[in-house]
């Protein structure tokens, strides 16, 4: 009987646990998480913060789900380190759990803003269910809020304000929202959407410091331009530091994320990694990639699990190769980020009307990602083009047609 220890009970870790049980009914599986609740839908905590979804709809697994599969679930438990010589996972209380294969599915930790009073009451990060409950509580009594971080997570915070009737100012250091994914024309569509729900984008503005009242509650943001923005709540959505620490003392290596190949193997033959925490060899773009999305985390968890079991048995391994989709559902029109739109070296974009836009990202002549606003019916065709990996740099016009004809894209 092989023992598998999984650190992290997010979608990557929980999917891995489920897959191991399916692949090897005799396996001894332990899942360890520092969170106080079993797997919930991290994507939907934004709907909870908006006040649109009750708690029960966010939960994915009850404790009984683990019991039914004979998985030893440890909640509120921090993994302190991995001891590769003894093949033990060491917990914060000193307990050691032996493994034949360990999976690091540890995700990331949202970054703090390193400015004076950056941790005052009323300043929120947005990553866990606990964060979401606090945000919702504070928004219920707020009038004004400020958001920092012009990316996909910041937009979730913006709509949490909007749905709670809180006036928002959205500070962006550059000249537009998500400048790595969109050009000015595409971003303008999103700026209009924000304004229409009472969130005002403020460009060329960062945070110099927060001002607090006598009780330590945030009351104002002082911008890097010197401008002051009163607020009862602030949302800091400036990205994640990936939780790579557990590779220390092992042969597994980490850069920004934990380095794994397309089979989710680290350099330590008994340690695998999956989900947001990985910096994986992406066969679709031919280089290392980091992908913070639900699809990718779930797919990596499944592949890592299959490969851990296969390697215990001496079987062939399976490669990870999916085109992730990240949908944003807050706007008055659909929005999808497909593949790796920020990895492009060359871009082609078209705006079809007020709320209809497409931007394509190419690398080495191949399509590697796209952002679709409005017409998302072409997602299937674009996914195929990314997956095929054919050189299509001279097919930009065909790929920007409102309806894509794949035969025309493939024609010589
Ligand atoms: C508000 C919000 C909205 C999002 N919206 C979308 C969306 O629309 N589409 C999309 O594709 N993605 C979205 N995402 C991103 C998506 O949720 C993540 O990419 C995905 O959940 C990552 O899963 P994971 O299992 O890799 O990591 P996580 O879910 O972060 O799980 C890692 C777990 O490991 C635990 N852990 C870490 N270190 C230790 C340790 N030493 N000991 C014990 N436990 C540890 C952590 O506490 C955590 O529970 C959103 C995320 C948020 C927060």
């Amino acid at each position: 009987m092989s023992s598998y220890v999984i650190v992290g009970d997010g979608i990557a870790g929980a999917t891995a646990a489920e897959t191991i049980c399916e692949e090897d009914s005799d396996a001894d599986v332990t899942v360890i998480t520092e969170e106080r609740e079993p797997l919930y839908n991290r994507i939907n905590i934004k709907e909870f913060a908006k006040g649109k979804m009750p708690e029960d709809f966010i939960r994915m697994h009850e404790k009984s789900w683990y019991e039914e599969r004979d998985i030893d679930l440890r909640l509120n438990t921090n993994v302190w380190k991995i001891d590769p010589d003894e093949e033990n996972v060491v917990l914060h209380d000193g307990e050691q759990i032996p493994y034949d294969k360990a999976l690091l599915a540890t995700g990331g930790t949202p970054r703090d803003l390193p400015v004076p009073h950056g941790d005052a009451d009323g300043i929120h990060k947005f990553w866990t269910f606990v964060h979401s409950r606090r945000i919702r509580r504070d928004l219920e009594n707020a009038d004004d809020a400020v958001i920092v971080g012009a990316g996909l997570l910041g937009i979730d915070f913006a709509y949490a304000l909007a749905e709670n009737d809180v006036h928002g100012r959205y500070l962006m250091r550059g000249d537009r929202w998500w400048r790595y994914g969109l050009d000015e024309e595409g971003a303008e569509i999103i700026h209009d959407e924000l304004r229409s729900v009472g969130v005002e984008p403020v460009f060329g503005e960062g945070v110099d410091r927060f001002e607090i009242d006598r009780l330590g509650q945030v009351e104002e943001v002082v911008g890097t331009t010197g401008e002051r923005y009163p607020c009862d709540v602030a949302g800091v959505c400036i990205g994640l530091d990936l939780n790579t620490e557990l590779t220390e003392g092992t042969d597994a290596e980490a850069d920004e994320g934990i380095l794994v190949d397309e089979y989710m193997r680290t350099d330590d033959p008994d340690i695998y990694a999956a989900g947001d925490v990985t910096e994986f060899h992406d066969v679709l773009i031919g280089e290392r990639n980091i992908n913070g999305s639900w699809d990718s985390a779930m797919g990596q968890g499944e592949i890592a699990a299959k490969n851990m079991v296969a390697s215990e048995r001496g079987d062939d391994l399976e490669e990870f190769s999916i085109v992730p989709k990240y949908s944003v559902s807050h706007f008055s029109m659909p929005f999808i980020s497909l593949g790796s739109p920020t990895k492009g070296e060359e871009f082609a974009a078209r705006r079809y009307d007020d709320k209809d836009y497409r931007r394509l990202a190419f690398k080495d002549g191949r399509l590697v990602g796209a952002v679709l606003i409005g017409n998302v019916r072409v997602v299937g065709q674009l996914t195929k083009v990314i997956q095929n990996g054919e050189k299509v740099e001279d097919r930009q016009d065909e790929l920007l047609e409102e309806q894509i004809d794949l035969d025309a894209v493939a024609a010589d």
Side-chain angles (χ1 to χ4, degrees), residues 11-12 34-35 42 46 79 106 127 156 276 293-294 326-327:
I11 189 62
E34 62 197 3
E35 294 201 54
R42 200 173 292 288
K46 60 190 161 201
V79 173
T106 46
W127 194 254
D156 291 333
D276 278 12
S293 78
W294 187 264
Y326 191 119
S327 308

Side-chain angles (χ1 to χ4, degrees), residues 75-329:
L75 299 175
N76 291 310
T77 305
N78 191 269
V79 173
W80 193 248
K81 67 171 186 165
I82 309 277
D83 178 349
D85 298 328
E86 299 297 326
E87 298 213 315
N88 280 328
V89 166
V90 184
L91 308 185
H92 65 267
D93 60 4
E95 184 183 344
Q96 309 199 2
I97 305 181
Y99 66 83
D100 294 303
K101 292 277 179 286
L103 177 70
L104 305 180
T106 46
T109 302
R111 289 188 192 124
D112 287 312
L113 203 54
V115 298
H117 302 310
D119 59 354
D121 289 346
I123 301 177
H124 293 275
K125 290 181 280 190
F126 199 5
W127 194 254
T128 66
F129 208 166
V130 171
H131 293 154
S132 180
R133 292 184 184 106
R134 289 188 194 136
I135 291 167
R136 184 159 163 193
R137 180 201 62 202
D138 280 8
L139 287 180
E140 272 172 4
N141 301 312
D143 295 318
D144 291 291
V146 168
I147 309 153
V148 192
L152 292 164
L153 207 52
I155 215 83
D156 291 333
F157 206 95
Y159 276 79
L161 306 185
E163 290 288 345
N164 284 283
D165 291 325
V166 177
H167 173 255
R169 290 202 183 79
Y170 194 160
L171 310 189
M172 309 191 193
R173 278 188 305 181
D175 63 351
R176 61 185 185 275
W177 179 72
W178 203 30
R179 59 187 152 148
Y180 302 110
L182 291 172
D183 63 11
E184 282 168 26
E185 260 196 329
E188 196 48 45
I189 301 176
I190 307 303
H191 302 160
D192 286 344
E193 288 284 308
L194 287 167
R195 290 181 190 111
S196 75
V197 294
V199 178
E200 191 186 320
V202 181
F203 306 107
E205 183 67 289
V207 177
D208 180 69
R209 63 185 186 278
F210 294 98
E211 299 285 6
I212 54 173
D213 67 13
R214 283 186 302 116
L215 299 173
Q217 166 75 31
V218 67
E219 58 179 8
E220 204 172 43
V221 173
V222 181
T224 45
T225 60
E227 194 72 33
R228 290 174 173 268
Y229 306 93
C231 64
D232 315 296
V233 168
V236 174
C237 306
I238 55 171
L240 295 180
D241 288 321
L242 302 183
N243 297 323
T244 62
E245 299 81 4
L246 294 178
T247 57
E248 280 166 28
T250 75
D251 285 338
E253 287 193 30
D255 192 0
E256 197 177 330
I258 298 177
L259 303 186
V260 291
D261 62 12
E262 60 273 40
Y263 305 108
M264 303 295 119
R265 295 182 297 191
T266 68
D267 283 340
D268 183 317
D270 295 323
I271 303 178
Y272 285 60
D276 278 12
V277 76
T278 66
E279 196 168 337
F280 63 102
H281 176 71
D282 188 340
V283 294
L284 295 172
I285 61 170
E287 64 178 49
R288 280 197 215 159
N289 200 357
I290 292 179
N291 190 306
S293 78
W294 187 264
D295 284 1
S296 180
M298 186 158 64
Q300 290 192 6
E302 185 184 339
I303 293 291
K306 285 183 173 169
N307 289 340
M308 290 194 292
V309 173
S311 95
E312 283 292 288
R313 291 180 174 152
D315 291 345
D316 290 342
L317 305 189
E318 207 175 303
E319 185 178 276
F320 172 75
S321 153
I322 66 159
V323 179
K325 278 198 288 296
Y326 191 119
S327 308
V328 180
S329 55

